[in-house]
Amino acid sequence: MATVDTGDEVIIMEPFFECFEHNVRTAGGIPRFVPLKPKENADGTQTNDWVLDYDHLESLFNTKTKAIIVNTPHNPLGKVFTYEELSQIARLCKKWNVVCISDEVYQFLVYGSKKHVSMASLPDMWERTITVCTAGKIFAATGWKLGWAYGPSHLIANLQLIHFSSVRAGNTFLQAVDP
Ligand SMILES: Cc1ncc(COP(=O)(O)O)c(C=O)c1O
């Protein structure tokens, strides 16, 4: 709601955490879907066998694209996006001046040789990335519904506006924290 206006397009990878589509529609945005598909000759049982078709992804970007939602580690696949994969997405975000909403709530649930990479850590991505986290996952307390977002002040200022107006409207569930 802080970033997307009516008619703005938001790219979502399928399959996805089911809130994403509702979040976009609630803000008046239009979701545009791109599938993660098993690699050729892979049976899909290895999470990182699920990959993006970059040509398909690129074909969705246009002047109406406001944001892309990236979720790594991924729910429901468990895929941990590599630096190279995130770089491809970052390249398109920069080319089309698009915000990346990076849902990294599972960042500490990474096993074996896999390594979590934050989209905001890629070159020139801090300025266009809002990173979303939740205490529910980090502290295995999913009922808490206590989360936070961080990013550059020009993007976070919009989140604060939404939080403050929501609190003023009597919604004590959304509490804004003054940084
Ligand atoms: C990808 C993803 N993002 C965000 C959330 C929301 O986390 P919470 O329930 O702690 O608010 C979930 C919860 O399952 C999730 O899977």
Side-chain angles (χ1 to χ4, degrees), residues 18-48:
E18 59 102 23
C19 290
F20 293 162
E21 181 178 354
H22 303 299
N23 292 159
V24 171
R25 291 195 193 281
T26 301
I30 301 164
R32 302 289 311 274
F33 300 104
V34 58
L36 284 155
K37 288 184 183 160
K39 278 181 201 159
E40 217 171 310
N41 301 324
D43 62 7
T45 56
Q46 298 299 308
T47 57
N48 279 20

Side-chain angles (χ1 to χ4, degrees), residues 73-141:
H74 187 272
N75 177 13
L77 292 178
K79 174 182 173 66
V80 182
F81 282 72
T82 64
Y83 187 93
E84 288 66 32
E85 288 173 314
L86 294 178
S87 298
Q88 292 285 348
I89 299 166
R91 179 180 66 79
L92 294 169
C93 288
K94 286 181 264 184
K95 180 174 172 187
W96 289 94
N97 194 23
V98 162
V99 172
C100 179
I101 300 171
S102 190
D103 181 328
E104 302 179 17
V105 303
Y106 294 106
Q107 71 179 104
F108 296 113
L109 296 175
V110 176
Y111 303 99
S113 60
K114 297 202 171 63
K115 190 174 174 297
H116 172 69
V117 180
S118 284
M119 180 60 105
S121 71
L122 270 69
D124 302 320
M125 284 307 287
W126 167 257
E127 291 75 10
R128 58 177 66 260
T129 302
I130 299 169
T131 307
V132 180
C133 303
T134 166
K137 306 298 185 253
I138 293 175
F139 300 111

Side-chain angles (χ1 to χ4, degrees), residues 54-69:
Y54 297 119
D55 290 334
H56 188 166
L57 178 65
E58 186 154 13
S59 74
L60 296 184
F61 279 79
N62 66 76
T63 51
K64 289 194 206 135
T65 312
K66 191 60 185 282
I68 179 168
I69 302 177

